[in-house]
Amino acid sequence: MKKPTVSKLASVGLASMLLLAGCSDSSKTSNNSGDGEKDNGKTEISWLNILHTASPPTDTIINELEKKTNTEIKFSWIPDASKEERINTALASDSLADIVTLTILENSSVRNSLKSGMFWNIEDYLDEFPNLKAIPEEMLKSASTEGKLYGVPFQKDLARNGVVLRKDWLDKLGLEVPKTTEELMEVAKAFTENDPDGNGKNDTTGFMDRSDLIYGVFKTVSSYYGTPNTWEVDSKGEFVPEFETDGYIKTMDYMKKLYDNGWINKDFAVTAKIDQQQNFAQGKGGIYVGALFDAKNLETMAAGIQDNMELALVNDMTSESNSERAIWSGGNGIGGLLAFPRSEVKDEQELKKLLKFVNDLIDTENYTLMTYGIEGTHYKLNDEGAYEIINQDLWQQEVQPFASSRPNETGYNLKDPNPIKAEADEKIAENAEYAVMNPAVPLESPTFTTQGSELQKIITDATYQYILGDISLADFKKAVKNWNDQGGKTIKEEYEEAYKATN
């Protein structure tokens, strides 16, 4: 395993230099035994990783991880905002590291590099490592490319979304927590028309949404109507896109009724997420649909503005046309891959050392370290056994940057001291049983890779136009035909062929 010429506290600038210059064998030091292991028995590991914070972490947590995993780790950080460009450059120039974090698996350069054999196929080695062996088979399948697993998948919660409501508004209006889409619409009406904040003004609305058909109201409500998650495979093995199903049409009708009656913010189609959340926190709306853990952020934003705000979380909603619980899964729980390039990892011996390192990172002790930090320094266990941050600034500087580096984020049952966050965690875990997968996630469609985003715009635009009353259902179906004619039909056929080849 090559040792890149960067320090533990690699700056963003040095990460850029690494991508341009590559990792040179000349950087190996005399105490390196030649197989990635130093004379002291520690394994040297270089990791090209994504940074989601403003600056890289200090060495505090890295030093602890090194002790616990018997390694010496050299991080090279790529800013999240430029990750696609930087990873593309690294792949094209073969300027990589022992471990490469790949998060945009649908990127054509990433997919082509995986298919080309640039990275190790690790599926035959997982059984040797208990934490890797425990990764669910469905998740491994979703993380595969053309039936082969070219890295350890980042394991995320299968389904995070649900409904967040103003419980104090429900109580004031004498309403129960809704359990169906019909009841939810009645609540939206009441929150809009019945002065739930009691200020005598007509200044509230039901739903507070944003311009996002995936992470906003639309896709989650669509789950409640039984709509497939992006694609479904019918009894003939044919691929059907979600917008060609009855559930999708019913969701559009639902949203259109909300819009026509003013029970959703009129500007939802052009509202940014931060504005949506701020409007909710300011008491302008009473229903928020999105990730359930957003409830904690909404409470924080409302401090000093809506101090009496009380929230209810709902994850078991159904509809009159679909009595079965269902919630769409984002990426089938896959947040990317930890991949091992053959140019850096020369043989099975080196690969197994890296796999052991990733396996060790999944241990509860190391997950806790990368999530909360060091007990007594960054956090304490309160009387309820919850992990309470005691130095927020230090935690943000030394611990928070590692949040996106954890190979697994599920199943640890570590209690959050914030009650609404703890409840959200529980309901997100419950969602897993009802998660609806996207069968196309592990499949290859060259047409989708090159034209998918452009074609999706046809459907997105037509969906908004229908909801806003600018086009009829017949016009929407014309847009779907246009999607098929311009390449959608080919995407279906390519997915069908890929599906048959891997199932």
Side-chain angles (χ1 to χ4, degrees):
M1 290 176 277
K2 297 179 185 177
K3 177 182 176 183
T5 55
V6 291
S7 67
K8 292 178 187 174
L9 184 55
S11 70
V12 169
L14 285 176
S16 302
M17 294 170 60
L18 173 67
L19 292 177
L20 294 174
C23 306
S24 171
D25 279 324
S26 64
S27 67
K28 289 183 178 179
T29 55
S30 59
N31 65 343
N32 190 329
S33 64
D35 63 352
E37 185 173 295
K38 301 188 71 172
D39 292 340
N40 60 11
K42 292 187 175 183
T43 300
E44 288 186 311
I45 295 173
S46 59
W47 187 347
L48 189 59
N49 204 2
I50 309 299
L51 183 69
H52 290 263
T53 54
S55 59
T58 59
D59 284 352
T60 304
I61 301 303
I62 298 176
N63 291 338
E64 290 299 311
L65 284 174
E66 288 179 335
K67 292 176 187 176
K68 295 178 184 301
T69 59
N70 196 35
T71 59
E72 290 190 1
I73 313 165
K74 310 297 180 182
F75 282 96
S76 298
W77 298 100
I78 297 176
D80 180 63
S82 58
K83 64 184 175 184
E84 189 162 13
E85 175 189 352
R86 298 286 184 85
I87 288 294
N88 286 347
T89 300
L91 293 173
S93 60
D94 199 16
S95 302
L96 303 170
D98 301 327
I99 303 175
V100 179
T101 296
L102 301 174
T103 57
I104 311 178
L105 299 184
E106 64 272 20
N107 175 282
S108 58
S109 295
V110 172
R111 293 194 74 86
N112 289 335
S113 69
L114 293 173
K115 293 188 295 180
S116 72
M118 181 180 288
F119 297 94
W120 281 85
N121 179 354
I122 66 164
E123 56 192 329
D124 291 338
Y125 305 96
L126 298 183
D127 285 350
E128 300 180 32
F129 308 95
N131 292 327
L132 303 185
K133 183 179 181 180
I135 299 174
E137 187 64 33
E138 185 65 31
M139 192 166 282
L140 295 175
K141 181 179 178 181
S142 293
S144 298
T145 300
E146 295 186 332
K148 297 181 179 179
L149 186 65
Y150 294 111
V152 177
F154 280 98
Q155 300 174 70
K156 305 286 187 180
D157 291 305
L158 280 177
R160 305 179 304 179
N161 283 39
V163 180
V164 180
L165 302 115
R166 287 291 297 265
K167 177 67 164 57
D168 53 321
W169 287 9
L170 290 173
D171 293 343
K172 184 178 186 303
L173 299 178
L175 298 172
E176 298 294 328
V177 174
K179 294 297 184 181
T180 68
T181 53
E182 295 72 37
E183 292 174 358
L184 184 62
M185 182 173 287
E186 287 302 311
V187 169
K189 177 181 179 181
F191 280 2
T192 306
E193 301 177 356
N194 296 350
D195 191 23
D197 58 359
N199 68 355
K201 299 178 182 179
N202 183 23
D203 59 356
T204 59
T205 188
F207 284 87
M208 185 57 64
D209 196 20
R210 64 180 184 262
S211 58
D212 191 334
L213 293 179
I214 298 176
Y215 298 103
V217 172
F218 191 91
K219 195 171 181 71
T220 295
V221 169
S222 199
S223 288
Y224 303 150
Y225 277 104
T227 307
N229 183 2
T230 312
W231 293 91
E232 72 176 348
V233 183
D234 66 16
S235 58
K236 298 178 182 177
E238 296 178 350
F239 269 62
V240 180
E242 60 184 353
F243 47 82
E244 289 186 348
T245 66
D246 290 340
Y248 195 94
I249 304 297
K250 289 176 180 177
T251 307
M252 289 200 303
D253 286 336
Y254 188 90
M255 295 287 289
K256 179 173 172 53
K257 186 173 181 179
L258 292 175
Y259 180 79
D260 289 345
N261 287 282
W263 302 335
I264 189 170
N265 52 309
K266 283 290 188 181
D267 60 351
F268 82 93
V270 293
T271 298
K273 179 179 180 180
I274 185 62
D275 295 324
Q276 173 203 22
Q277 294 187 336
Q278 287 178 345
N279 288 338
F280 187 95
Q282 291 166 9
K284 296 178 181 179
I287 304 172
Y288 177 95
V289 181
L292 289 165
F293 54 65
D294 284 344
K296 178 181 178 181
N297 187 40
L298 295 173
E299 276 194 344
T300 301
M301 295 173 73
I305 304 171
Q306 299 276 313
D307 287 330
N308 294 324
M309 184 175 76
E310 183 182 355
L311 300 179
L313 309 184
V314 183
N315 71 336
D316 58 352
M317 195 161 289
T318 58
S319 69
E320 83 283 354
S321 60
N322 181 51
S323 60
E324 299 292 326
R325 277 184 65 176
I327 183 67
W328 67 280
S329 173
N332 295 1
I334 304 299
L337 292 174
L338 289 169
F340 313 96
R342 289 182 175 274
S343 60
E344 308 297 317
V345 185
K346 299 300 185 182
D347 54 37
E348 288 187 344
Q349 182 181 4
E350 291 187 14
L351 177 64
K352 289 182 179 181
K353 289 178 181 178
L354 295 171
L355 289 173
K356 181 183 184 302
F357 168 70
V358 175
N359 177 85
D360 292 346
L361 290 185
I362 299 176
D363 285 344
T364 300
E365 185 178 15
N366 290 322
Y367 170 83
T368 304
L369 178 65
M370 298 171 78
T371 304
Y372 297 104
I374 300 169
E375 186 173 7
T377 300
H378 304 101
Y379 77 89
K380 69 176 182 179
L381 287 174
N382 65 19
D383 294 340
E384 287 74 40
Y387 288 72
E388 185 175 323
I389 303 300
I390 56 177
N391 189 327
Q392 189 71 25
D393 291 340
L394 189 64
W395 176 84
Q396 288 178 337
Q397 179 185 12
E398 298 185 341
V399 185
Q400 189 178 25
F402 291 100
S404 58
S405 303
R406 299 168 299 178
N408 182 32
E409 297 180 9
T410 67
Y412 291 98
N413 297 319
L414 303 183
K415 189 175 180 181
D416 194 280
N418 182 286
I420 201 73
K421 176 61 165 58
E423 182 182 357
D425 290 343
E426 292 175 2
K427 290 187 180 298
I428 288 171
E430 290 173 7
N431 274 351
E433 183 178 350
Y434 308 98
V436 179
M437 305 298 181
N438 176 1
V441 166
L443 304 180
E444 182 72 15
S445 165
T447 305
F448 178 81
T449 300
T450 57
Q451 296 178 238
S453 297
E454 179 183 347
L455 288 171
Q456 182 58 43
K457 191 175 185 302
I458 296 173
I459 303 302
T460 300
D461 289 348
T463 300
Y464 277 120
Q465 289 167 354
Y466 180 82
I467 293 170
L468 300 179
D470 295 332
I471 64 173
S472 66
L473 182 58
D475 293 326
F476 176 80
K477 291 183 177 180
K478 287 179 183 177
V480 173
K481 183 179 185 303
N482 189 23
W483 178 89
N484 276 287
D485 293 343
Q486 292 192 28
K489 185 174 182 293
T490 303
I491 293 175
K492 292 177 183 178
E493 293 168 349
E494 290 171 349
Y495 275 145
E496 289 163 15
E497 183 178 351
Y499 184 80
K500 291 174 183 176
T502 57
N503 286 272

